[in-house]
Amino acid sequence: MAITLEQAMAVLAAGEKRAAEINVPSVIAVVDDGGNLKAQHRMDNASLAAIEVSLSKAYTSLATNSSTAALAEQCQPGQPLYGLQTTHKGRIVIFGGGVPLRMNGKLVGAVGSSGGSVEEDVIVAEAAVAAFTND
Amino acid sequence: MAITLEQAMAVLAAGEKRAAEINVPSVIAVVDDGGNLKAQHRMDNASLAAIEVSLSKAYTSLATNSSTAALAEQCQPGQPLYGLQTTHKGRIVIFGGGVPLRMNGKLVGAVGSSGGSVEEDVIVAEAAVAAFTND
Amino acid sequence: MAITLEQAMAVLAAGEKRAAEINVPSVIAVVDDGGNLKAQHRMDNASLAAIEVSLSKAYTSLATNSSTAALAEQCQPGQPLYGLQTTHKGRIVIFGGGVPLRMNGKLVGAVGSSGGSVEEDVIVAEAAVAAFTND
Amino acid sequence: MAITLEQAMAVLAAGEKRAAEINVPSVIAVVDDGGNLKAQHRMDNASLAAIEVSLSKAYTSLATNSSTAALAEQCQPGQPLYGLQTTHKGRIVIFGGGVPLRMNGKLVGAVGSSGGSVEEDVIVAEAAVAAFTND
């Protein structure tokens, strides 16, 4: 039940469509259930920082089996997971835009989107994921 | 004259088509003229090592303005560039599969392919690049 | 529309002139639109830490298409981008002194200055950038 | 007796003049007696790989108190310093283009040039150094 490249490309296409609609040039990444890159696209005019952040969001979401938005609260100073963000040599992202991909309840990958505000990145990532869960 | 995502996707599609024909599941990456990722796809059943190798081949080709196959000879013991491969903290790949993308003679990006033998990777990368230069 | 070495040197000269006026030995770096170094000078008596910090400020500013001063607020605990600073393996700087270089509204590079207080670094970086936008 | 920024800029200017004469777009770096960057310029159309290689050549030359060309022989398989090139996390370059800067016989810095063939890089680096020793 591994995610295929065809599925990953459909996920990216859905995210890119939504990103274009809200005018947010984004980089979107899909990782598989091993946390390894399956596909990544940088839309024209997306920022360079979004390359690494999108992939790290996808990795973080897969590796923690949660959205990165859910980590934001937990990793603040004084909160239970404070410090998680400095582990993994910089691969952990603790703000929204990373969302798990699930098939029949099973974690099979994750999507990460970066390029806009955190709210915009969440919109794009969720649109991307929706294409998969409707699969 | 920056390479667009649409162009990068056409480059990937051409490489993937050739890779499928010769039955070599590959990871193919495209970088722009700044050496930054534009798009990368991992075909189903491609090895995980090919993720980093394909991207580093593309980077190396762009950064040296040459194919990585051309570097293979120059970086052997006793040859002029012996030792180049240990610079850049591991981002330099000195075997074939990285090929520059040129537009009107100007370097605008590069492709890297990994997943098969070096000869196969060169075949895939060149098929990918051909889609661009015919553009 | 790539920034030239001549332009980068004029940017550095303007920054160095301002730094000398306010008596703040600085390191100033200019990167191009791919985030790659174009020129960097360490003024006499500038601190060694300023070498990496100035270059990372320039990179951060280019990669996020914003001044690093603007990131300072957003990356505080409880703010939307908290955690951005631990991505990119230490290349992200979230205090002032990194400023984008724009030509006709297009991002073509960035300047980073380090060596004084944050306020002083911002003064120097802005003087450097002013030389470019008057070009 | 530390090298000044003014001296470093004269060194770069001499190297760039020679590089232009032989039509080899280069990146040239100057480090001080601590091995720390004093100044670095990327000429227009110089390759991106030359950024790191030029700086590492300068560092290597300073740190070993020899030209990098002299290291080429010693670091071959079977030779006394074989393996030096994999120390220092990739900062050691073992082919020509790094040359020490000496004042009254004392090591005060080094120059590294990259962008052409090894022979061309040596020509540029030596022209750069000549400007200093004539100082």
Side-chain angles (χ1 to χ4, degrees):
Chain A
M1 295 290 281
I3 184 170
T4 64
L5 176 55
E6 190 177 341
Q7 288 174 317
M9 287 172 69
V11 165
L12 293 185
E16 288 158 17
K17 181 167 174 292
R18 193 77 186 98
E21 286 168 2
I22 63 173
N23 200 24
V24 177
S26 301
V27 186
I28 311 178
V30 176
V31 298
D32 67 9
D33 64 345
N36 299 299
L37 182 139
K38 191 70 192 177
Q40 187 174 21
H41 288 177
R42 174 158 59 105
M43 294 172 70
D44 300 332
N45 301 311
S47 71
L48 295 188
I51 299 171
E52 179 164 328
V53 172
S54 63
L55 183 57
S56 294
K57 282 180 179 176
Y59 174 78
T60 301
S61 180
L62 184 285
T64 63
N65 194 4
S66 70
S67 72
T68 56
L71 288 177
E73 177 68 22
Q74 302 237 354
C75 293
Q76 297 298 319
Q79 296 305 307
L81 297 182
Y82 177 61
L84 179 66
Q85 64 267 42
T86 55
T87 66
H88 289 73
K89 302 188 182 70
R91 294 189 73 194
I92 299 292
V93 176
I94 58 169
F95 45 89
V99 182
L101 288 169
R102 294 198 173 90
M103 200 182 285
N104 305 325
K106 191 176 170 301
L107 181 69
V108 295
V111 172
S113 186
S114 179
S117 68
V118 171
E119 290 78 6
E120 291 166 337
D121 292 346
V122 170
I123 289 169
V124 172
E126 290 183 346
V129 167
F132 182 72
T133 53
N134 290 340
D135 219 43
Chain B
M1 297 286 281
I3 185 170
T4 64
L5 176 56
E6 191 176 341
Q7 288 173 318
M9 288 172 69
V11 164
L12 292 184
E16 288 158 16
K17 181 168 175 293
R18 193 78 186 97
E21 286 168 2
I22 62 174
N23 199 24
V24 177
S26 301
V27 186
I28 311 179
V30 176
V31 298
D32 68 10
D33 65 344
N36 298 300
L37 182 139
K38 192 69 191 178
Q40 187 175 20
H41 287 176
R42 174 158 60 103
M43 293 172 70
D44 301 332
N45 302 311
S47 70
L48 294 188
I51 300 172
E52 180 165 326
V53 173
S54 63
L55 184 57
S56 293
K57 282 181 179 175
Y59 175 77
T60 301
S61 180
L62 185 284
T64 62
N65 195 5
S66 69
S67 71
T68 56
L71 287 177
E73 176 68 21
Q74 300 242 328
C75 293
Q76 297 300 316
Q79 296 305 309
L81 296 182
Y82 177 60
L84 178 66
Q85 62 268 42
T86 56
T87 66
H88 287 77
K89 302 185 185 71
R91 294 189 75 193
I92 298 292
V93 177
I94 58 167
F95 45 92
V99 182
L101 288 169
R102 294 200 173 90
M103 199 184 284
N104 305 324
K106 192 178 169 299
L107 181 69
V108 295
V111 171
S113 186
S114 178
S117 67
V118 170
E119 290 77 6
E120 291 166 338
D121 292 346
V122 170
I123 288 169
V124 172
E126 289 184 347
V129 167
F132 182 72
T133 53
N134 289 339
D135 220 44
Chain C
M1 297 288 281
I3 185 170
T4 64
L5 176 54
E6 190 177 341
Q7 289 174 318
M9 288 171 70
V11 164
L12 292 184
E16 288 158 17
K17 181 168 176 291
R18 193 77 187 99
E21 286 168 1
I22 62 174
N23 199 25
V24 176
S26 301
V27 186
I28 312 178
V30 176
V31 299
D32 68 10
D33 65 343
N36 298 300
L37 182 140
K38 192 70 191 175
Q40 187 174 20
H41 287 177
R42 175 158 58 103
M43 292 173 70
D44 301 332
N45 302 310
S47 69
L48 294 188
I51 299 172
E52 180 165 328
V53 172
S54 63
L55 184 56
S56 292
K57 281 180 179 176
Y59 175 77
T60 301
S61 180
L62 184 285
T64 62
N65 195 4
S66 69
S67 72
T68 56
L71 287 176
E73 175 69 21
Q74 299 242 327
C75 292
Q76 297 300 316
Q79 297 304 310
L81 297 182
Y82 177 60
L84 179 65
Q85 62 268 42
T86 56
T87 66
H88 287 77
K89 302 184 184 70
R91 294 189 75 194
I92 298 292
V93 177
I94 58 168
F95 46 91
V99 182
L101 288 169
R102 294 200 172 89
M103 199 185 283
N104 304 326
K106 191 179 170 297
L107 181 69
V108 295
V111 171
S113 186
S114 179
S117 68
V118 170
E119 291 76 7
E120 290 165 338
D121 292 347
V122 170
I123 289 169
V124 172
E126 289 184 346
V129 167
F132 182 72
T133 54
N134 289 340
D135 220 43
Chain D
M1 295 288 283
I3 185 170
T4 65
L5 176 55
E6 191 176 340
Q7 289 174 316
M9 288 171 69
V11 165
L12 292 184
E16 288 158 18
K17 181 168 175 293
R18 194 77 187 97
E21 285 168 3
I22 62 174
N23 199 24
V24 177
S26 301
V27 186
I28 312 178
V30 177
V31 298
D32 67 10
D33 64 345
N36 299 299
L37 182 140
K38 192 70 190 176
Q40 187 174 21
H41 287 176
R42 174 157 60 103
M43 293 172 70
D44 300 332
N45 301 312
S47 71
L48 294 188
I51 299 171
E52 181 164 328
V53 173
S54 62
L55 184 57
S56 293
K57 281 180 179 176
Y59 174 78
T60 300
S61 180
L62 183 286
T64 63
N65 195 4
S66 69
S67 72
T68 56
L71 288 176
E73 177 68 21
Q74 303 238 351
C75 293
Q76 297 296 319
Q79 296 306 307
L81 297 182
Y82 176 60
L84 179 66
Q85 63 268 41
T86 55
T87 65
H88 290 72
K89 303 188 182 70
R91 294 189 73 193
I92 299 292
V93 176
I94 57 168
F95 44 90
V99 182
L101 288 169
R102 294 198 173 91
M103 198 183 286
N104 304 326
K106 191 176 171 300
L107 181 68
V108 295
V111 171
S113 187
S114 179
S117 69
V118 171
E119 289 78 6
E120 290 166 337
D121 292 347
V122 170
I123 288 169
V124 172
E126 289 183 347
V129 167
F132 181 72
T133 53
N134 291 340
D135 220 43

